[in-house]
Each structure stands twice: as structure tokens, then as C-alpha cells.
């Protein structure tokens, strides 16, 4: 038996993987994947150093915007992937949200950023973000018809997003003044005493502008002529 020390040296862009031998040579299993080993010859034999191209990897960080609005596959966090190899990515919206788009940091590419299921191809470490938006739930804002003025929006029914403040304005007619707002149903008015304010609905609601008539005071003067000639009801004098 003849022991021979052998060494494998990878060229740039390659890595050593294993030794292989023909009959007449043995390499201990414990070092068959070691570039420095000893082969024992019992006869003529061929010893081959096997190499493979280096596989470049990068870190793909999955993120969700806004937080808790959905999930991704691979899950949020950092994953090691092969550079220049498309990776399948999937976005799933949480209840009350819908998928909008993907984004990725510079130097890498997305297959279709508008598709919930697509691919990400990394050239280097990159962050891939799934963007979601909250679903819009519409409710009915009813502006009640009024006497003594107008409102903006005018009287009628309007579909508005739940939870989003809506501007409302009351304008009094001549001889009236704005008093306050009233709301019935699932609505809240920011300032019920202000003619220009906002209402926020979480369900259907009716909003009414209340106007009051302006009272104009005048003076009534009662008199008799001649003074001894009689009396009046109300009596002689000034009345407001």
C-alpha cells in the first residue's frame, strides 16, 4: 500500500466538492470532502478532484406595510437565496385589507409588482415589501331637509367611507340664525355649535342643521286723546 498526500485547489469562481477514485485507490470517507487528503494506492488508479461553480447568495428580507395588514411567503424576516435565481413570493391580505403592490430595493427585480403571486430576483441583499391597504366600507350619510337655511352637502343621501371625517356647512336664510347640529344613528359631530364642522360616521346616520327664527323687537305705544276721553287695553304706555 502506497499513501500519497493530495491537495485540490479551486480556481476562481469554483469550489472543491469531493474526491473520486477508481479501483486501486482509496480515500478515507472522513476526508473525501476535504481538499487536503491522503489517498492509498494498491494498484494503478485515477484520482479525480471534483469542483462545482460557486453559488452566490444574498439575503432577502421580507417586510409587510402596514404592520399586521397581511402575510407573505416566505414569511417576514430574512432568507438566504441564490443570486440571479427567481424566487416565488406570495402576499396574502389580512381581514379588512387588500393587496396593493410589491416593492424591492434597488439592484433587484420583481416579476410583476402588481400581482400578489410573483417572483423576486436578487442581485444583492434586498428588502421585498408587500403593501396592503385597508378596505373602504361605505356608509350612508343622510342630510335632512331644513327650514331656515341650507346645508352643504344639501339634503339627501350620500355614500361616504366609514371612519373618515366629512365636511358639513350650514348657511342660514335671512331672518334665521344657525343654532346647532343634531345627529341620529352612528355619527359623531366634531363641534355641534359650529356652522362649519365635520361629521364622522361608523354606520348610517342622519345629520340635521337646526335654525331659529330671528325675533325682531318693536315698540308699541298706547295713548288716548283727549287723555280724559277714555282708556285702552293694554293701558297707556310703551310696550316692547
Amino acid at each position: 500500500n502506497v499513501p500519497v498526500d493530495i491537495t485540490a485547489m479551486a480556481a476562481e469562481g469554483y469550489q472543491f466538492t469531493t474526491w473520486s477514485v477508481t479501483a486501486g485507490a482509496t480515500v478515507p470517507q472522513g476526508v473525501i470532502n476535504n481538499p487536503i487528503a491522503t489517498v492509498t494506492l494498491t494498484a494503478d488508479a485515477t484520482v479525480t478532484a471534483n469542483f462545482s461553480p460557486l453559488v452566490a447568495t444574498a439575503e432577502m428580507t421580507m417586510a409587510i406595510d402596514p404592520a399586521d395588514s397581511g402575510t407573505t411567503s416566505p414569511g417576514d424576516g430574512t432568507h438566504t437565496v441564490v443570486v440571479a435565481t427567481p424566487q416565488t413570493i406570495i402576499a396574502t391580505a389580512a381581514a379588512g385589507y387588500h393587496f396593493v403592490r410589491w416593492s424591492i430595493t434597488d439592484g433587484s427585480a420583481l416579476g410583476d409588482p402588481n400581482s400578489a403571486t410573483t417572483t423576486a430576483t436578487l442581485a444583492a441583499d434586498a428588502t421585498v415589501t408587500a403593501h396592503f391597504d385597508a378596505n373602504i366600507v361605505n356608509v350612508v350619510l343622510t342630510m335632512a331637509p331644513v327650514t331656515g337655511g341650507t346645508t352643504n352637502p344639501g339634503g339627501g343621501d350620500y355614500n361616504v367611507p366609514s371612519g373618515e371625517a366629512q365636511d358639513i356647512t350650514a348657511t342660514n336664510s335671512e331672518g334665521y340664525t344657525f343654532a346647532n347640529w343634531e345627529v341620529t344613528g352612528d355619527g359623531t359631530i366634531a363641534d355641534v355649535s359650529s356652522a362649519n364642522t365635520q361629521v364622522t360616521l361608523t354606520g348610517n346616520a342622519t345629520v340635521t342643521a337646526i335654525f331659529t327664527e330671528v325675533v325682531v323687537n318693536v315698540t308699541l305705544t298706547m295713548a288716548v286723546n283727549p287723555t280724559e276721553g277714555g282708556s285702552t287695553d293694554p293701558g297707556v304706555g310703551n310696550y316692547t
Side-chain angles (χ1 to χ4, degrees):
N1 296 342
V2 180
V4 179
D5 292 334
I6 53 176
T7 302
M9 293 163 288
E12 184 176 357
Y14 286 83
Q15 61 184 349
F16 172 78
T17 57
T18 187
W19 296 103
S20 59
V21 296
T22 59
T26 58
V27 175
Q29 285 297 314
V31 295
I32 200 168
N33 297 318
N34 194 322
I36 300 175
T38 298
V39 59
T40 301
L41 299 176
T42 58
D44 294 342
T46 300
V47 178
T48 302
N50 298 292
F51 300 89
S52 63
L54 281 173
V55 176
T57 61
E59 299 300 309
M60 181 172 71
T61 301
M62 302 295 293
I64 297 167
D65 176 50
D68 301 323
S69 59
T71 59
T72 61
S73 177
D76 58 320
T78 300
H79 308 268
T80 301
V81 299
V82 177
V83 167
T85 299
Q87 307 295 319
T88 299
I89 54 175
I90 302 170
T92 304
Y97 288 85
H98 62 276
F99 172 76
V100 178
R101 63 183 176 87
W102 293 97
S103 65
I104 195 168
T105 49
D106 291 342
S108 297
L110 292 167
D112 181 355
N114 298 314
S115 175
T117 299
T118 187
T119 58
T121 304
L122 272 60
D125 293 348
T127 298
V128 179
T129 304
H131 299 273
F132 301 90
D133 269 347
N135 295 335
I136 295 175
V137 178
N138 284 330
V139 293
V140 178
L141 167 64
T142 300
M143 298 297 292
V146 295
T147 299
T150 59
T151 60
N152 185 21
D157 293 338
Y158 303 88
N159 289 321
V160 299
S162 176
E164 185 174 308
Q166 306 295 315
D167 292 331
I168 53 174
T169 302
T171 304
N172 61 285
S173 300
E174 185 176 357
Y176 289 83
T177 183
F178 172 76
N180 60 274
W181 295 98
E182 291 183 352
V183 61
T184 58
D186 298 321
T188 303
I189 294 176
D191 184 353
V192 295
S193 300
S194 175
N196 296 290
T197 187
Q198 292 182 318
V199 61
T200 303
L201 273 62
T202 55
N204 298 339
T206 298
V207 174
T208 306
I210 306 300
F211 297 93
T212 56
E213 190 171 3
V214 176
V215 177
V216 179
N217 291 325
V218 294
T219 301
L220 169 66
T221 301
M222 300 296 292
V224 295
N225 182 33
T227 56
E228 69 275 11
S231 62
T232 61
D233 183 17
V236 173
N238 295 324
Y239 301 89
T240 299

